[in-house]
Amino acid sequence: MLYDSARLDDIAFGTDGLVPTITQDADTREVLMLAWMNRESLQKTLDTGMVHYYSRSRACLWLKGETSGHFQKVREIRRDCDSDALLILAEQTGAACHTGNRSCFYRDLAGENVPEPTEPARPARHEDILSALQSVIEDRRAHPKEGSYTNYLFEKGIDKMLKKVGEESAEIIIAAKNPSQSDLVGEIADMMFHVSVVLAERGLSWRDICAELERRRKK
């Protein structure tokens, strides 16, 4: 569970039992959407690590991505100074908006579409690149694409994935003993891709690996 010490009683839910919730991309800080939570959906989000909202039109909880495959994995939840609004930093798979746009805020005040940024909102870090790779892999799993090598690996299952990891390990060893640095870089990149697929298959991400490395660094 996220935040074992979370104090939900401190959240100032409105008279309707709801609190406005803004969701941002955890890496780029792009604002993805505004929705609502009640106590139950917030608790469900904390318990599962996947964002659940409350639908005012349907009067029920809904798991983001349940029908579209565009899930939001929680990285952090914050509250504002008055505790009457929430901010979720999430790893977004695919588009956040039901229209297919990355963000729900894709139009200006005149109603004109705003071009999606071609550059990240802040300089890419190594972990951002790995998270972006993971998002693509998760999107391929949720939305299979004909001819996709990633989907081929998911279809074949964990044994095929692990076989590829073993093959790439051997190729790294061979490349490391040769003078070409570019060959070694390519083989390590191949390895990291296949490891990313294994992580996705097992419900993990590079964020989990980075957290473990950070824990070891502090020892």
Side-chain angles (χ1 to χ4, degrees), residues 99-131:
T99 62
N101 288 280
R102 172 71 177 174
S103 167
C104 290
F105 298 93
Y106 62 91
R107 295 179 293 181
D108 61 21
L109 284 176
E112 299 294 329
N113 285 14
V114 178
E116 291 191 8
T118 56
E119 298 293 333
R122 56 180 176 145
R125 302 172 300 172
H126 297 155
E127 57 266 38
D128 292 340
I129 295 171
L130 291 173
S131 293

PDB file of all heavy atoms in Angstrom, residues 99-131:
ATOM      1  N   THR A  99     -10.601  11.350 -25.627  1.00  0.00           N
ATOM      2  CA  THR A  99     -10.610  11.724 -27.048  1.00  0.00           C
ATOM      3  C   THR A  99      -9.424  11.138 -27.805  1.00  0.00           C
ATOM      4  O   THR A  99      -9.364  11.235 -29.033  1.00  0.00           O
ATOM      5  CB  THR A  99     -10.561  13.255 -27.201  1.00  0.00           C
ATOM      6  OG1 THR A  99      -9.327  13.748 -26.633  1.00  0.00           O
ATOM      7  CG2 THR A  99     -11.738  13.910 -26.497  1.00  0.00           C
ATOM      8  N   GLY A 100      -8.484  10.569 -27.058  1.00  0.00           N
ATOM      9  CA  GLY A 100      -7.278  10.038 -27.675  1.00  0.00           C
ATOM     10  C   GLY A 100      -6.103  10.983 -27.588  1.00  0.00           C
ATOM     11  O   GLY A 100      -4.976  10.636 -27.979  1.00  0.00           O
ATOM     12  N   ASN A 101      -6.335  12.192 -27.063  1.00  0.00           N
ATOM     13  CA  ASN A 101      -5.245  13.135 -26.857  1.00  0.00           C
ATOM     14  C   ASN A 101      -4.465  12.762 -25.603  1.00  0.00           C
ATOM     15  O   ASN A 101      -5.010  12.202 -24.654  1.00  0.00           O
ATOM     16  CB  ASN A 101      -5.792  14.562 -26.718  1.00  0.00           C
ATOM     17  CG  ASN A 101      -6.289  15.108 -28.039  1.00  0.00           C
ATOM     18  OD1 ASN A 101      -5.509  15.559 -28.870  1.00  0.00           O
ATOM     19  ND2 ASN A 101      -7.599  15.052 -28.249  1.00  0.00           N
ATOM     20  N   ARG A 102      -3.196  13.092 -25.627  1.00  0.00           N
ATOM     21  CA  ARG A 102      -2.340  12.778 -24.483  1.00  0.00           C
ATOM     22  C   ARG A 102      -2.870  13.438 -23.213  1.00  0.00           C
ATOM     23  O   ARG A 102      -2.924  12.824 -22.159  1.00  0.00           O
ATOM     24  CB  ARG A 102      -0.914  13.257 -24.782  1.00  0.00           C
ATOM     25  CG  ARG A 102       0.068  13.185 -23.622  1.00  0.00           C
ATOM     26  CD  ARG A 102       0.459  11.780 -23.281  1.00  0.00           C
ATOM     27  NE  ARG A 102       1.441  11.745 -22.210  1.00  0.00           N
ATOM     28  CZ  ARG A 102       1.870  10.633 -21.630  1.00  0.00           C
ATOM     29  NH1 ARG A 102       1.403   9.462 -22.032  1.00  0.00           N
ATOM     30  NH2 ARG A 102       2.767  10.668 -20.674  1.00  0.00           N
ATOM     31  N   SER A 103      -3.249  14.717 -23.317  1.00  0.00           N
ATOM     32  CA  SER A 103      -3.775  15.474 -22.188  1.00  0.00           C
ATOM     33  C   SER A 103      -5.196  15.934 -22.489  1.00  0.00           C
ATOM     34  O   SER A 103      -5.550  16.175 -23.648  1.00  0.00           O
ATOM     35  CB  SER A 103      -2.884  16.697 -21.920  1.00  0.00           C
ATOM     36  OG  SER A 103      -3.516  17.601 -21.030  1.00  0.00           O
ATOM     37  N   CYS A 104      -6.014  16.077 -21.453  1.00  0.00           N
ATOM     38  CA  CYS A 104      -7.357  16.615 -21.644  1.00  0.00           C
ATOM     39  C   CYS A 104      -7.309  18.107 -21.990  1.00  0.00           C
ATOM     40  O   CYS A 104      -8.255  18.655 -22.545  1.00  0.00           O
ATOM     41  CB  CYS A 104      -8.186  16.427 -20.372  1.00  0.00           C
ATOM     42  SG  CYS A 104      -8.616  14.697 -20.040  1.00  0.00           S
ATOM     43  N   PHE A 105      -6.195  18.759 -21.683  1.00  0.00           N
ATOM     44  CA  PHE A 105      -6.054  20.193 -21.931  1.00  0.00           C
ATOM     45  C   PHE A 105      -5.360  20.411 -23.272  1.00  0.00           C
ATOM     46  O   PHE A 105      -4.242  20.940 -23.341  1.00  0.00           O
ATOM     47  CB  PHE A 105      -5.282  20.844 -20.779  1.00  0.00           C
ATOM     48  CG  PHE A 105      -5.976  20.713 -19.458  1.00  0.00           C
ATOM     49  CD1 PHE A 105      -5.679  19.651 -18.609  1.00  0.00           C
ATOM     50  CD2 PHE A 105      -6.944  21.621 -19.069  1.00  0.00           C
ATOM     51  CE1 PHE A 105      -6.331  19.510 -17.385  1.00  0.00           C
ATOM     52  CE2 PHE A 105      -7.602  21.484 -17.853  1.00  0.00           C
ATOM     53  CZ  PHE A 105      -7.299  20.432 -17.009  1.00  0.00           C
ATOM     54  N   TYR A 106      -6.053  20.018 -24.346  1.00  0.00           N
ATOM     55  CA  TYR A 106      -5.456  20.092 -25.681  1.00  0.00           C
ATOM     56  C   TYR A 106      -6.027  21.231 -26.519  1.00  0.00           C
ATOM     57  O   TYR A 106      -5.677  21.376 -27.689  1.00  0.00           O
ATOM     58  CB  TYR A 106      -5.652  18.764 -26.419  1.00  0.00           C
ATOM     59  CG  TYR A 106      -7.095  18.381 -26.667  1.00  0.00           C
ATOM     60  CD1 TYR A 106      -7.742  18.768 -27.840  1.00  0.00           C
ATOM     61  CD2 TYR A 106      -7.795  17.650 -25.724  1.00  0.00           C
ATOM     62  CE1 TYR A 106      -9.073  18.421 -28.061  1.00  0.00           C
ATOM     63  CE2 TYR A 106      -9.123  17.310 -25.932  1.00  0.00           C
ATOM     64  CZ  TYR A 106      -9.755  17.697 -27.095  1.00  0.00           C
ATOM     65  OH  TYR A 106     -11.075  17.368 -27.306  1.00  0.00           O
ATOM     66  N   ARG A 107      -6.903  22.075 -25.930  1.00  0.00           N
ATOM     67  CA  ARG A 107      -7.483  23.198 -26.661  1.00  0.00           C
ATOM     68  C   ARG A 107      -7.246  24.507 -25.914  1.00  0.00           C
ATOM     69  O   ARG A 107      -7.172  24.531 -24.681  1.00  0.00           O
ATOM     70  CB  ARG A 107      -8.997  23.003 -26.843  1.00  0.00           C
ATOM     71  CG  ARG A 107      -9.367  21.827 -27.720  1.00  0.00           C
ATOM     72  CD  ARG A 107     -10.864  21.677 -27.845  1.00  0.00           C
ATOM     73  NE  ARG A 107     -11.464  21.303 -26.562  1.00  0.00           N
ATOM     74  CZ  ARG A 107     -12.767  21.088 -26.382  1.00  0.00           C
ATOM     75  NH1 ARG A 107     -13.593  21.232 -27.389  1.00  0.00           N
ATOM     76  NH2 ARG A 107     -13.224  20.748 -25.191  1.00  0.00           N
ATOM     77  N   ASP A 108      -7.130  25.610 -26.683  1.00  0.00           N
ATOM     78  CA  ASP A 108      -7.016  26.919 -26.056  1.00  0.00           C
ATOM     79  C   ASP A 108      -8.416  27.487 -25.815  1.00  0.00           C
ATOM     80  O   ASP A 108      -9.431  26.827 -26.091  1.00  0.00           O
ATOM     81  CB  ASP A 108      -6.151  27.869 -26.897  1.00  0.00           C
ATOM     82  CG  ASP A 108      -6.730  28.118 -28.295  1.00  0.00           C
ATOM     83  OD1 ASP A 108      -7.947  27.913 -28.482  1.00  0.00           O
ATOM     84  OD2 ASP A 108      -5.957  28.507 -29.184  1.00  0.00           O
ATOM     85  N   LEU A 109      -8.491  28.715 -25.311  1.00  0.00           N
ATOM     86  CA  LEU A 109      -9.786  29.299 -24.968  1.00  0.00           C
ATOM     87  C   LEU A 109     -10.676  29.505 -26.185  1.00  0.00           C
ATOM     88  O   LEU A 109     -11.908  29.591 -26.067  1.00  0.00           O
ATOM     89  CB  LEU A 109      -9.591  30.637 -24.233  1.00  0.00           C
ATOM     90  CG  LEU A 109      -9.162  30.526 -22.765  1.00  0.00           C
ATOM     91  CD1 LEU A 109      -8.925  31.920 -22.196  1.00  0.00           C
ATOM     92  CD2 LEU A 109     -10.210  29.789 -21.943  1.00  0.00           C
ATOM     93  N   ALA A 110     -10.070  29.607 -27.365  1.00  0.00           N
ATOM     94  CA  ALA A 110     -10.849  29.771 -28.592  1.00  0.00           C
ATOM     95  C   ALA A 110     -11.358  28.439 -29.122  1.00  0.00           C
ATOM     96  O   ALA A 110     -12.074  28.387 -30.123  1.00  0.00           O
ATOM     97  CB  ALA A 110     -10.002  30.467 -29.652  1.00  0.00           C
ATOM     98  N   GLY A 111     -10.979  27.362 -28.451  1.00  0.00           N
ATOM     99  CA  GLY A 111     -11.411  26.036 -28.881  1.00  0.00           C
ATOM    100  C   GLY A 111     -10.511  25.411 -29.917  1.00  0.00           C
ATOM    101  O   GLY A 111     -10.825  24.343 -30.464  1.00  0.00           O
ATOM    102  N   GLU A 112      -9.367  26.055 -30.191  1.00  0.00           N
ATOM    103  CA  GLU A 112      -8.430  25.534 -31.176  1.00  0.00           C
ATOM    104  C   GLU A 112      -7.486  24.521 -30.526  1.00  0.00           C
ATOM    105  O   GLU A 112      -7.051  24.709 -29.381  1.00  0.00           O
ATOM    106  CB  GLU A 112      -7.616  26.668 -31.800  1.00  0.00           C
ATOM    107  CG  GLU A 112      -8.452  27.704 -32.544  1.00  0.00           C
ATOM    108  CD  GLU A 112      -9.130  27.124 -33.766  1.00  0.00           C
ATOM    109  OE1 GLU A 112      -8.555  26.195 -34.377  1.00  0.00           O
ATOM    110  OE2 GLU A 112     -10.242  27.595 -34.106  1.00  0.00           O
ATOM    111  N   ASN A 113      -7.175  23.457 -31.269  1.00  0.00           N
ATOM    112  CA  ASN A 113      -6.241  22.458 -30.756  1.00  0.00           C
ATOM    113  C   ASN A 113      -4.853  23.059 -30.585  1.00  0.00           C
ATOM    114  O   ASN A 113      -4.365  23.785 -31.454  1.00  0.00           O
ATOM    115  CB  ASN A 113      -6.162  21.255 -31.698  1.00  0.00           C
ATOM    116  CG  ASN A 113      -7.383  20.367 -31.576  1.00  0.00           C
ATOM    117  OD1 ASN A 113      -8.391  20.768 -31.001  1.00  0.00           O
ATOM    118  ND2 ASN A 113      -7.297  19.171 -32.112  1.00  0.00           N
ATOM    119  N   VAL A 114      -4.246  22.753 -29.474  1.00  0.00           N
ATOM    120  CA  VAL A 114      -2.878  23.192 -29.193  1.00  0.00           C
ATOM    121  C   VAL A 114      -1.935  22.069 -29.581  1.00  0.00           C
ATOM    122  O   VAL A 114      -2.134  20.922 -29.160  1.00  0.00           O
ATOM    123  CB  VAL A 114      -2.705  23.532 -27.696  1.00  0.00           C
ATOM    124  CG1 VAL A 114      -1.279  23.939 -27.400  1.00  0.00           C
ATOM    125  CG2 VAL A 114      -3.681  24.623 -27.288  1.00  0.00           C
ATOM    126  N   PRO A 115      -0.913  22.335 -30.397  1.00  0.00           N
ATOM    127  CA  PRO A 115       0.015  21.270 -30.793  1.00  0.00           C
ATOM    128  C   PRO A 115       0.658  20.616 -29.574  1.00  0.00           C
ATOM    129  O   PRO A 115       1.024  21.304 -28.615  1.00  0.00           O
ATOM    130  CB  PRO A 115       1.063  22.012 -31.634  1.00  0.00           C
ATOM    131  CG  PRO A 115       0.376  23.248 -32.089  1.00  0.00           C
ATOM    132  CD  PRO A 115      -0.555  23.632 -30.983  1.00  0.00           C
ATOM    133  N   GLU A 116       0.739  19.308 -29.602  1.00  0.00           N
ATOM    134  CA  GLU A 116       1.414  18.609 -28.514  1.00  0.00           C
ATOM    135  C   GLU A 116       2.893  18.934 -28.555  1.00  0.00           C
ATOM    136  O   GLU A 116       3.480  19.054 -29.630  1.00  0.00           O
ATOM    137  CB  GLU A 116       1.200  17.095 -28.637  1.00  0.00           C
ATOM    138  CG  GLU A 116      -0.230  16.671 -28.373  1.00  0.00           C
ATOM    139  CD  GLU A 116      -0.349  15.164 -28.250  1.00  0.00           C
ATOM    140  OE1 GLU A 116       0.698  14.488 -28.226  1.00  0.00           O
ATOM    141  OE2 GLU A 116      -1.481  14.666 -28.176  1.00  0.00           O
ATOM    142  N   PRO A 117       3.516  19.103 -27.397  1.00  0.00           N
ATOM    143  CA  PRO A 117       4.947  19.434 -27.380  1.00  0.00           C
ATOM    144  C   PRO A 117       5.772  18.327 -28.007  1.00  0.00           C
ATOM    145  O   PRO A 117       5.503  17.142 -27.801  1.00  0.00           O
ATOM    146  CB  PRO A 117       5.259  19.586 -25.881  1.00  0.00           C
ATOM    147  CG  PRO A 117       4.193  18.803 -25.181  1.00  0.00           C
ATOM    148  CD  PRO A 117       2.963  18.944 -26.043  1.00  0.00           C
ATOM    149  N   THR A 118       6.748  18.740 -28.810  1.00  0.00           N
ATOM    150  CA  THR A 118       7.637  17.755 -29.423  1.00  0.00           C
ATOM    151  C   THR A 118       8.824  17.466 -28.526  1.00  0.00           C
ATOM    152  O   THR A 118       9.558  16.517 -28.738  1.00  0.00           O
ATOM    153  CB  THR A 118       8.153  18.258 -30.782  1.00  0.00           C
ATOM    154  OG1 THR A 118       8.785  19.533 -30.605  1.00  0.00           O
ATOM    155  CG2 THR A 118       6.992  18.427 -31.756  1.00  0.00           C
ATOM    156  N   GLU A 119       9.030  18.316 -27.518  1.00  0.00           N
ATOM    157  CA  GLU A 119      10.112  18.133 -26.562  1.00  0.00           C
ATOM    158  C   GLU A 119       9.524  17.935 -25.175  1.00  0.00           C
ATOM    159  O   GLU A 119       8.459  18.473 -24.863  1.00  0.00           O
ATOM    160  CB  GLU A 119      11.043  19.364 -26.555  1.00  0.00           C
ATOM    161  CG  GLU A 119      11.736  19.620 -27.883  1.00  0.00           C
ATOM    162  CD  GLU A 119      12.732  18.531 -28.223  1.00  0.00           C
ATOM    163  OE1 GLU A 119      13.257  17.898 -27.293  1.00  0.00           O
ATOM    164  OE2 GLU A 119      12.975  18.310 -29.422  1.00  0.00           O
ATOM    165  N   PRO A 120      10.188  17.181 -24.315  1.00  0.00           N
ATOM    166  CA  PRO A 120       9.687  17.023 -22.958  1.00  0.00           C
ATOM    167  C   PRO A 120       9.672  18.354 -22.221  1.00  0.00           C
ATOM    168  O   PRO A 120      10.403  19.273 -22.568  1.00  0.00           O
ATOM    169  CB  PRO A 120      10.693  16.032 -22.322  1.00  0.00           C
ATOM    170  CG  PRO A 120      11.919  16.142 -23.163  1.00  0.00           C
ATOM    171  CD  PRO A 120      11.436  16.448 -24.551  1.00  0.00           C
ATOM    172  N   ALA A 121       8.804  18.458 -21.224  1.00  0.00           N
ATOM    173  CA  ALA A 121       8.670  19.702 -20.484  1.00  0.00           C
ATOM    174  C   ALA A 121       9.931  20.063 -19.720  1.00  0.00           C
ATOM    175  O   ALA A 121      10.104  21.190 -19.298  1.00  0.00           O
ATOM    176  CB  ALA A 121       7.482  19.594 -19.515  1.00  0.00           C
ATOM    177  N   ARG A 122      10.800  19.126 -19.515  1.00  0.00           N
ATOM    178  CA  ARG A 122      12.085  19.398 -18.877  1.00  0.00           C
ATOM    179  C   ARG A 122      13.108  18.458 -19.484  1.00  0.00           C
ATOM    180  O   ARG A 122      12.755  17.451 -20.093  1.00  0.00           O
ATOM    181  CB  ARG A 122      11.993  19.203 -17.357  1.00  0.00           C
ATOM    182  CG  ARG A 122      11.504  17.834 -16.953  1.00  0.00           C
ATOM    183  CD  ARG A 122      11.414  17.678 -15.451  1.00  0.00           C
ATOM    184  NE  ARG A 122      10.854  16.384 -15.130  1.00  0.00           N
ATOM    185  CZ  ARG A 122      11.230  15.679 -14.064  1.00  0.00           C
ATOM    186  NH1 ARG A 122      12.146  16.134 -13.260  1.00  0.00           N
ATOM    187  NH2 ARG A 122      10.682  14.518 -13.814  1.00  0.00           N
ATOM    188  N   PRO A 123      14.396  18.761 -19.342  1.00  0.00           N
ATOM    189  CA  PRO A 123      15.402  17.902 -19.967  1.00  0.00           C
ATOM    190  C   PRO A 123      15.249  16.451 -19.542  1.00  0.00           C
ATOM    191  O   PRO A 123      14.991  16.150 -18.380  1.00  0.00           O
ATOM    192  CB  PRO A 123      16.725  18.505 -19.453  1.00  0.00           C
ATOM    193  CG  PRO A 123      16.396  19.927 -19.125  1.00  0.00           C
ATOM    194  CD  PRO A 123      14.980  19.894 -18.625  1.00  0.00           C
ATOM    195  N   ALA A 124      15.387  15.556 -20.514  1.00  0.00           N
ATOM    196  CA  ALA A 124      15.236  14.130 -20.225  1.00  0.00           C
ATOM    197  C   ALA A 124      16.380  13.636 -19.358  1.00  0.00           C
ATOM    198  O   ALA A 124      17.540  13.958 -19.591  1.00  0.00           O
ATOM    199  CB  ALA A 124      15.198  13.340 -21.528  1.00  0.00           C
ATOM    200  N   ARG A 125      16.052  12.882 -18.348  1.00  0.00           N
ATOM    201  CA  ARG A 125      17.054  12.218 -17.530  1.00  0.00           C
ATOM    202  C   ARG A 125      17.090  10.755 -17.941  1.00  0.00           C
ATOM    203  O   ARG A 125      16.218  10.275 -18.652  1.00  0.00           O
ATOM    204  CB  ARG A 125      16.687  12.340 -16.047  1.00  0.00           C
ATOM    205  CG  ARG A 125      16.540  13.774 -15.562  1.00  0.00           C
ATOM    206  CD  ARG A 125      15.996  13.808 -14.153  1.00  0.00           C
ATOM    207  NE  ARG A 125      14.694  13.183 -14.093  1.00  0.00           N
ATOM    208  CZ  ARG A 125      14.062  12.938 -12.955  1.00  0.00           C
ATOM    209  NH1 ARG A 125      14.598  13.236 -11.803  1.00  0.00           N
ATOM    210  NH2 ARG A 125      12.866  12.363 -12.975  1.00  0.00           N
ATOM    211  N   HIS A 126      18.103  10.065 -17.486  1.00  0.00           N
ATOM    212  CA  HIS A 126      18.224   8.654 -17.854  1.00  0.00           C
ATOM    213  C   HIS A 126      16.982   7.874 -17.444  1.00  0.00           C
ATOM    214  O   HIS A 126      16.460   7.057 -18.201  1.00  0.00           O
ATOM    215  CB  HIS A 126      19.473   8.056 -17.189  1.00  0.00           C
ATOM    216  CG  HIS A 126      20.756   8.682 -17.656  1.00  0.00           C
ATOM    217  ND1 HIS A 126      21.894   8.686 -16.910  1.00  0.00           N
ATOM    218  CD2 HIS A 126      21.055   9.339 -18.807  1.00  0.00           C
ATOM    219  CE1 HIS A 126      22.862   9.312 -17.571  1.00  0.00           C
ATOM    220  NE2 HIS A 126      22.372   9.722 -18.712  1.00  0.00           N
ATOM    221  N   GLU A 127      16.489   8.152 -16.226  1.00  0.00           N
ATOM    222  CA  GLU A 127      15.322   7.409 -15.764  1.00  0.00           C
ATOM    223  C   GLU A 127      14.073   7.794 -16.549  1.00  0.00           C
ATOM    224  O   GLU A 127      13.148   6.999 -16.682  1.00  0.00           O
ATOM    225  CB  GLU A 127      15.100   7.611 -14.255  1.00  0.00           C
ATOM    226  CG  GLU A 127      14.942   9.046 -13.807  1.00  0.00           C
ATOM    227  CD  GLU A 127      16.249   9.660 -13.344  1.00  0.00           C
ATOM    228  OE1 GLU A 127      17.286   9.368 -13.950  1.00  0.00           O
ATOM    229  OE2 GLU A 127      16.216  10.437 -12.373  1.00  0.00           O
ATOM    230  N   ASP A 128      14.041   9.041 -17.075  1.00  0.00           N
ATOM    231  CA  ASP A 128      12.903   9.440 -17.898  1.00  0.00           C
ATOM    232  C   ASP A 128      12.853   8.628 -19.181  1.00  0.00           C
ATOM    233  O   ASP A 128      11.790   8.225 -19.649  1.00  0.00           O
ATOM    234  CB  ASP A 128      13.001  10.930 -18.252  1.00  0.00           C
ATOM    235  CG  ASP A 128      12.808  11.831 -17.043  1.00  0.00           C
ATOM    236  OD1 ASP A 128      12.250  11.358 -16.046  1.00  0.00           O
ATOM    237  OD2 ASP A 128      13.214  12.993 -17.100  1.00  0.00           O
ATOM    238  N   ILE A 129      14.021   8.417 -19.798  1.00  0.00           N
ATOM    239  CA  ILE A 129      14.099   7.650 -21.039  1.00  0.00           C
ATOM    240  C   ILE A 129      13.648   6.221 -20.793  1.00  0.00           C
ATOM    241  O   ILE A 129      12.902   5.632 -21.583  1.00  0.00           O
ATOM    242  CB  ILE A 129      15.534   7.690 -21.603  1.00  0.00           C
ATOM    243  CG1 ILE A 129      15.878   9.132 -22.004  1.00  0.00           C
ATOM    244  CG2 ILE A 129      15.676   6.745 -22.788  1.00  0.00           C
ATOM    245  CD1 ILE A 129      17.331   9.331 -22.370  1.00  0.00           C
ATOM    246  N   LEU A 130      14.065   5.641 -19.685  1.00  0.00           N
ATOM    247  CA  LEU A 130      13.658   4.283 -19.359  1.00  0.00           C
ATOM    248  C   LEU A 130      12.153   4.216 -19.089  1.00  0.00           C
ATOM    249  O   LEU A 130      11.487   3.263 -19.492  1.00  0.00           O
ATOM    250  CB  LEU A 130      14.440   3.777 -18.146  1.00  0.00           C
ATOM    251  CG  LEU A 130      15.937   3.525 -18.378  1.00  0.00           C
ATOM    252  CD1 LEU A 130      16.626   3.204 -17.059  1.00  0.00           C
ATOM    253  CD2 LEU A 130      16.143   2.402 -19.382  1.00  0.00           C
ATOM    254  N   SER A 131      11.619   5.239 -18.418  1.00  0.00           N
ATOM    255  CA  SER A 131      10.181   5.272 -18.167  1.00  0.00           C
ATOM    256  C   SER A 131       9.405   5.408 -19.468  1.00  0.00           C
ATOM    257  O   SER A 131       8.341   4.797 -19.640  1.00  0.00           O
ATOM    258  CB  SER A 131       9.831   6.449 -17.232  1.00  0.00           C
ATOM    259  OG  SER A 131      10.362   6.244 -15.942  1.00  0.00           O
TER     260      SER A 131
END
